[in-house]
Amino acid sequence: MPTLRSATANASPVGTPSPAAASTPRSVKRRLTPGRTGESPDASRHTSPHRFPHAGTGTVCMPKLLSASPKSSRKRLYGDLVAAEKPKWNPRDAAQMRAVKEALHVATVPSCELVCRDSELRRVLEFCKACVEKEKAGSLYVCGRPGTGKTLSINKIKDSLVCWADEMGMETPDSLAINCTNLANTTEIFGKILGKFQNRKKGSSKLSPLQQLQSMFSDKDSAPRRMMLVIVDEMDYLITRDRAVLHDLFMLTTCPFSRCILIGIANAIDLADRFLPKLDSLNCKPLVVTFRAYSKDQISDIVKHRLKDLEYDVFEPLALEFCARKVAAASGDMRKALGVCRSAVEVLEAKLQDSPDQELGVVTFDHMDIALSKAFKSAVVDSILCLPQHQQMVLCALANTFQHCKKKATTLGELNKSYIEICRSTQVPAVGMLEFSNMCMVLSDQGFMKLGQSKEDKLRRVTLQIDRSDITFAFKVRTGS
């Protein structure tokens, strides 16, 4: 890095340098101390490191390079050392508002690395690397709830695998991404895979695409040389009554000369349990990687990560935490969180349009509260919030009962015990069994639960008729947590 002396040599007045200055190396000049040639003790003692005598004079001055303007040369020379002041967000600026909305859009793919999915990305990438190194086919199944970053992560893996193969000097694998929602029928997937390999023969038209692939991967001469990464998104659309398409797809990786690295993606977590036993018996059981729902900290980190390049303080910290907590408690869906954040920005934008004199500011807790209400408050949640206190407690007891066990039904007697426990914990007097039974009948008439028939009231079968998450969210809204 050039010193200030060398950087300003052309800009300073022309003068004859002293012999000492001319003969002193630059590395020594940076460390000049009082008593050295060409400097007086007083001048060196009161001169900052950035101030220096002009050539040929003893005058001490501040060079123009150290101007305080952010557009000055100081930013160029000391950009790594002096942090630029963070600009304030102007929500009325159309360009800034557009940039914020674009960063929060679910369709926007982050240009930098993904966050909060390091473990999952590492497992999938190591699997793909092993297949490419050994030139061996393999299959992997990625499952998780909607909005957990499955598709985005696998697309990043595809790019990372290509870069890794180039660095290692290996042949870059081809790739094919198929979204099963776009298929006219389930068997069409084999035609798409065959078309990507581009290895059809003239006499093979009588065979189906699946049969052509099986024939291709069974013969060393006809098998393709290059590996192929096949990404099948929304794989649960391939489920048929006999699951034949799903099984045939995974079995392509077991052919002796197969070059397929198959990665299936689906929202159904239990899909693996339903088809894995059969695949295991066919010796083509895939590696399973589960993407868990995002926690509140992960949701907050991802939103901050998306906005960090903008250098604006868009959200009040409390508002962002409020959003992260609500979404994590309801579903952990990152797409939902981004939608809520974008909606909160639009709430702020609307308020500024209605009140032109209002002071500029960031998205606050109140803006986020309005956005969350729009996103989550359904007719069911509103109905629960309008119920009397004891009927709400009955629903809470029913939700708690099904939360701690996998069964989908209970008895009126068991539900009454759970209800009494909630009454004790909240210090609310419980009603008697007869009144409790009448409350359950009212809730059944309103469609919240279903009551079966029995000679004894306590043995009547009770099933929940609404989504348990609606009950959970309703009570979180009620408590403000």
Side-chain angles (χ1 to χ4, degrees):
M1 176 176 174
T3 62
L4 287 175
R5 185 184 296 276
S6 62
T8 58
N10 296 331
S12 61
V14 177
T16 305
S18 65
S23 60
T24 307
R26 267 188 287 179
S27 60
V28 177
K29 285 181 182 180
R30 297 193 198 103
R31 305 192 300 273
L32 285 176
T33 56
R36 289 192 181 270
T37 306
E39 281 190 312
S40 68
D42 293 334
S44 61
R45 186 167 58 250
H46 300 291
T47 304
S48 70
H50 301 303
R51 303 178 71 176
F52 60 94
H54 276 292
T57 69
T59 307
V60 177
C61 64
M62 181 70 72
K64 291 182 180 180
L65 282 175
L66 295 185
S67 166
S69 170
K71 295 181 181 179
S72 67
S73 302
R74 179 180 181 178
K75 187 173 182 180
R76 293 195 299 271
L77 288 175
Y78 297 98
D80 295 336
L81 302 176
V82 181
E85 186 179 353
K86 198 172 185 180
K88 293 181 179 179
W89 183 40
N90 181 6
R92 288 196 177 96
D93 187 299
Q96 292 187 17
M97 179 61 75
R98 186 167 56 251
V100 171
K101 287 182 179 179
E102 185 178 343
L104 295 172
H105 201 283
V106 293
T108 301
V109 178
S111 57
C112 46
E113 74 282 356
L114 293 178
V115 293
C116 305
R117 285 297 179 219
D118 296 339
S119 172
E120 293 85 351
L121 288 171
R122 192 183 308 111
R123 287 187 66 192
V124 178
L125 184 57
E126 289 302 322
F127 168 81
C128 294
K129 285 180 180 179
C131 291
V132 173
E133 283 180 329
K134 298 175 183 177
E135 295 186 352
K136 184 179 179 182
S139 59
L140 182 142
Y141 174 64
V142 175
C143 60
R145 299 180 68 174
T148 51
K150 301 183 298 296
T151 303
L152 184 61
S153 298
I154 298 304
N155 287 334
K156 287 286 185 182
I157 290 291
K158 179 178 65 175
D159 298 336
S160 299
L161 186 63
V162 171
C163 293
W164 170 81
D166 288 339
E167 290 175 1
M168 299 297 291
M170 296 182 177
E171 195 169 21
T172 306
D174 287 328
S175 63
L176 171 65
I178 302 171
N179 191 310
C180 295
T181 58
N182 299 328
L183 299 177
N185 57 72
T186 55
T187 56
E188 189 181 338
I189 190 170
F190 301 114
K192 288 186 174 293
I193 297 173
L194 183 64
K196 184 67 178 179
F197 277 110
Q198 296 179 347
N199 217 358
R200 300 187 185 217
K201 295 183 179 180
K202 294 181 180 179
S204 60
S205 57
K206 295 181 181 179
L207 299 175
S208 68
L210 172 61
Q211 291 171 329
Q212 291 181 60
L213 285 170
Q214 291 171 339
S215 175
M216 182 195 305
F217 295 149
S218 299
D219 183 10
K220 186 176 182 180
D221 295 331
S222 62
R225 190 170 55 115
R226 183 174 294 195
M227 298 295 291
M228 167 81 75
L229 179 64
V230 181
I231 301 170
V232 182
D233 203 356
E234 306 291 352
M235 182 177 268
D236 31 5
Y237 278 81
L238 295 180
I239 299 176
T240 55
R241 181 172 296 180
D242 57 359
R243 302 190 183 95
V245 174
L246 208 57
H247 294 154
D248 290 337
L249 181 62
F250 277 94
M251 284 189 68
L252 286 177
T253 62
T254 63
C255 295
F257 303 103
S258 176
R259 291 292 181 267
C260 281
I261 305 172
L262 177 63
I263 299 181
I265 308 171
N267 294 330
I269 296 177
D270 64 335
L271 182 62
D273 297 330
R274 282 184 275 156
F275 76 81
L276 275 183
K278 176 68 173 177
L279 292 179
D280 197 11
S281 66
L282 296 172
N283 197 28
C284 56
K285 181 179 178 181
L287 173 68
V288 179
V289 178
T290 304
F291 279 58
R292 303 294 178 189
Y294 287 112
S295 66
K296 66 177 182 63
D297 292 333
Q298 289 176 325
I299 291 173
S300 180
D301 289 343
I302 292 172
V303 174
K304 290 176 184 176
H305 194 73
R306 278 182 170 246
L307 296 174
K308 73 173 185 178
D309 291 338
L310 299 179
E311 298 182 352
Y312 307 135
D313 286 327
V314 179
F315 295 96
E316 195 178 66
L318 189 61
L320 186 55
E321 183 184 353
F322 182 44
C323 170
R325 284 182 180 276
K326 289 293 184 183
V327 175
S331 61
D333 187 337
M334 194 61 223
R335 291 180 297 189
K336 191 79 168 180
L338 291 173
V340 170
C341 289
R342 187 180 165 94
S343 177
V345 170
E346 291 170 351
V347 170
L348 171 62
E349 184 182 26
K351 286 187 177 293
L352 291 175
Q353 290 174 353
D354 296 339
S355 307
D357 299 332
Q358 185 176 343
E359 291 184 7
L360 301 177
V362 294
V363 175
T364 64
F365 184 92
D366 292 336
H367 301 141
M368 190 64 74
D369 190 30
I370 295 171
L372 283 165
S373 298
K374 290 179 181 179
F376 285 104
K377 273 194 178 180
S378 63
V380 175
V381 173
D382 288 335
S383 300
I384 294 172
L385 292 173
C386 293
L387 291 173
Q389 182 185 30
H390 281 276
Q391 292 184 21
Q392 288 183 354
M393 295 172 77
V394 172
L395 287 179
C396 185
L398 191 57
N400 286 347
T401 301
F402 295 140
Q403 181 180 4
H404 301 299
C405 61
K406 292 184 178 180
K407 61 182 181 179
K408 297 181 179 180
T410 186
T411 61
L412 206 59
E414 291 297 322
L415 180 60
N416 182 251
K417 290 178 182 178
S418 180
Y419 159 76
I420 291 173
E421 288 177 5
I422 291 177
C423 289
R424 285 175 182 168
S425 64
T426 56
Q427 298 181 347
V428 175
V431 300
M433 185 61 193
L434 180 60
E435 189 175 349
F436 175 80
S437 179
N438 290 335
M439 283 195 304
C440 290
M441 290 179 67
V442 171
L443 291 171
S444 177
D445 293 339
Q446 292 180 339
F448 292 107
M449 63 171 66
K450 185 177 180 181
L451 282 176
Q453 299 295 326
S454 178
K455 293 181 180 179
E456 192 174 346
D457 225 15
K458 290 184 178 181
L459 298 179
R460 294 180 71 178
R461 183 183 175 88
V462 182
T463 53
L464 188 61
Q465 295 294 100
I466 59 174
D467 195 345
R468 188 169 58 83
S469 63
D470 284 335
I471 301 175
T472 304
F473 185 73
F475 284 106
K476 285 183 177 291
V477 170
R478 185 172 178 269
T479 57
S481 61

